[in-house]
Amino acid sequence: MPRSMTFIDMLFKSTPLILLLCCVSLGFSQTTIKDAQSQYPVSYATVSFNNGNGLFANDEGEFIFTKKIYPDIDTLYISALGYKEFKIATLNLPQIIQMQPETNALDEVMITAKIDRKFKVEDIKPYLDDDYYHCWLPTVESEIAVYFNNPDEALKKITKVHFPVTLESRDWEKRKRSNADKKPFSTLFRVKFYNNVNGFPGKELLFKTLVVRATEKGGDAVVFDVSEEAIFIPQSGVFVSLQVLGYTDDNGKLLSNKKYKEIKSRDGSVVKIPTNFRPLLPFTDEIPQNRTYIKRVFVNGNNWTRFEENSGFQSTLLQAGLNNYGMGLTFNVYKD
């Protein structure tokens, strides 16, 4: 005759239930964002808290929200390229969120025939700098765009983007040595291309999400090959932007962001500061024009601002005359 079940037996037998209850009590929720029509995941959707902070879904449309880390957030504002924006309460957050495609989004898609003509390759070299104090520390809530002028009417197709980075040495005393052991990182960036509208980034030129992974093994310039995409420089020039999505695991999968730092301001209120991400982005004073633009992507109604003095930026980079992020380009110039 079998013995009666003890409390220990019941405990082990009900472990999955206990873990579930623990997750519920902590306000933990993993949610997947999907296309309402195709049911495919919406990769790298923006999940904003509407207070200057937020996070991103990964390539499978998944993100983790927990009340333990974000106790004061009661609404999420979700957006993605080609979908209608919407908001949802964090109370009883569902496991699956359906996003509705934007009905007029297909009107923005440009169909371009394959160009099989003679061309020459031209480069705009990136500006490299290994001085830590000449760098921008990217945060998950900011996007940096650089403007490239189109000097003539020749057709130009972008094939590569060069993102300069500054590698940090493990040993501060050896930071100026090229063979110093570098701090490891694995960071995922989103890359966008905009047309020029009155001197500021306008509509995106590519109806597609592009991401590039940067690690310390790639050297001081991350080269992103976009030769398979039909990205042509408009007559009025092009803006190329870089936006950090977060750290990844060894396989390049986006990890959940860490809790924001909390500091007390002079008036005693608590301010949340987004976590900085590596690598550092070097700025330069060798470009006379102010070609760099920055915006806060999680602030409602965000706008692009040129990175220059008297634009509201409190930056030691501007004080030192470092006014531009020295991004580079490789492009084909077609002869006919």
Side-chain angles (χ1 to χ4, degrees):
M1 182 176 179
R3 62 184 178 86
S4 60
M5 184 176 291
T6 66
F7 173 77
I8 298 298
D9 294 328
M10 293 176 63
L11 181 62
F12 280 100
K13 194 174 184 63
S14 60
T15 297
L17 177 60
I18 292 175
L19 290 176
L20 177 61
L21 291 175
C22 287
C23 289
V24 172
S25 65
L26 291 176
F28 171 90
S29 176
Q30 176 171 301
T31 301
T32 302
I33 304 173
K34 292 187 176 183
D35 184 302
Q37 296 181 2
S38 67
Q39 294 301 304
Y40 289 145
V42 179
S43 301
Y44 309 114
T46 299
V47 183
S48 171
F49 300 160
N50 205 37
N51 64 353
N53 302 145
L55 47 86
F56 293 100
N58 61 19
D59 60 321
E60 297 176 355
E62 302 169 342
F63 70 91
I64 294 176
F65 180 85
T66 167
K67 277 288 188 180
K68 183 178 181 181
I69 299 180
Y70 312 110
D72 55 337
I73 303 302
D74 56 12
T75 304
L76 301 180
Y77 299 79
I78 302 178
S79 61
L81 180 64
Y83 293 90
K84 296 180 179 178
E85 298 183 8
F86 71 101
K87 61 181 181 180
I88 187 170
T90 58
L91 183 64
N92 299 322
L93 196 65
Q95 292 185 338
I96 296 178
I97 292 177
Q98 308 278 359
M99 290 197 76
Q100 296 292 336
E102 195 74 54
T103 54
N104 62 350
L106 292 179
D107 296 336
E108 304 296 333
V109 179
M110 180 180 295
I111 306 300
T112 306
K114 181 180 179 180
I115 294 180
D116 188 15
R117 308 201 308 252
K118 292 183 178 181
F119 61 86
K120 64 177 180 179
V121 178
E122 292 193 4
D123 289 290
I124 299 175
K125 294 184 179 181
Y127 292 84
L128 308 179
D129 197 332
D130 60 0
D131 190 331
Y132 298 174
Y133 297 106
H134 291 178
C135 295
W136 177 281
L137 278 70
T139 58
V140 75
E141 43 68 72
S142 62
E143 181 179 355
I144 297 179
V146 176
Y147 173 71
F148 294 92
N149 181 43
N150 191 350
D152 54 55
E153 296 181 356
L155 187 63
K156 303 175 183 67
K157 178 185 176 182
I158 299 175
T159 57
K160 295 178 182 178
V161 185
H162 305 263
F163 300 108
V165 298
T166 297
L167 305 179
E168 297 176 89
S169 302
R170 290 179 184 269
D171 187 344
W172 176 258
E173 299 298 328
K174 299 179 180 179
R175 64 188 183 279
K176 295 184 179 180
R177 299 183 186 179
S178 60
N179 61 346
D181 189 17
K182 304 300 182 181
K183 291 182 179 179
F185 60 85
S186 181
T187 304
L188 196 66
F189 290 93
R190 174 155 47 199
V191 182
K192 298 181 181 180
F193 300 83
Y194 298 93
N195 68 352
N196 179 6
V197 177
N198 299 322
F200 288 84
K203 290 185 178 181
E204 292 188 46
L205 297 178
L206 192 66
F207 196 75
K208 183 178 182 180
T209 299
L210 298 180
V211 295
V212 60
R213 180 186 175 197
T215 71
E216 79 285 357
K217 299 177 182 178
D220 52 7
V222 178
V223 180
F224 186 33
D225 190 333
V226 293
S227 57
E228 296 298 319
E229 310 296 338
I231 307 173
F232 295 91
I233 301 179
Q235 191 59 51
S236 59
V238 64
F239 289 88
V240 185
S241 82
L242 194 65
Q243 176 189 11
V244 64
L245 297 179
Y247 289 128
T248 80
D249 60 17
D250 293 338
N251 297 318
K253 188 177 180 63
L254 189 65
L255 299 173
S256 298
N257 291 334
K258 298 179 180 179
K259 182 179 180 180
Y260 292 92
K261 301 175 183 178
E262 294 185 353
I263 61 173
K264 285 188 177 181
S265 60
R266 293 181 179 179
D267 60 3
S269 61
V270 177
V271 180
K272 292 186 177 181
I273 305 298
T275 302
N276 293 324
F277 288 82
R278 266 52 184 176
L280 307 176
L281 305 182
F283 273 51
T284 180
D285 58 0
E286 298 183 36
I287 302 175
Q289 307 86 3
N290 291 86
R291 299 186 340 193
T292 298
Y293 297 70
I294 296 173
K295 75 170 181 176
R296 298 278 305 276
V297 299
F298 287 138
V299 177
N300 192 27
N302 62 88
N303 294 303
W304 287 102
T305 304
R306 186 181 290 110
F307 189 70
E308 60 184 356
E309 293 184 2
N310 303 319
S311 292
F313 290 109
Q314 301 296 324
S315 173
T316 56
L317 294 175
L318 287 175
Q319 295 174 8
L322 303 166
N323 60 329
N324 283 291
Y325 175 48
M327 192 185 298
L329 283 184
T330 298
F331 51 94
N332 297 339
V333 181
Y334 294 90
K335 296 184 177 181
D336 53 341

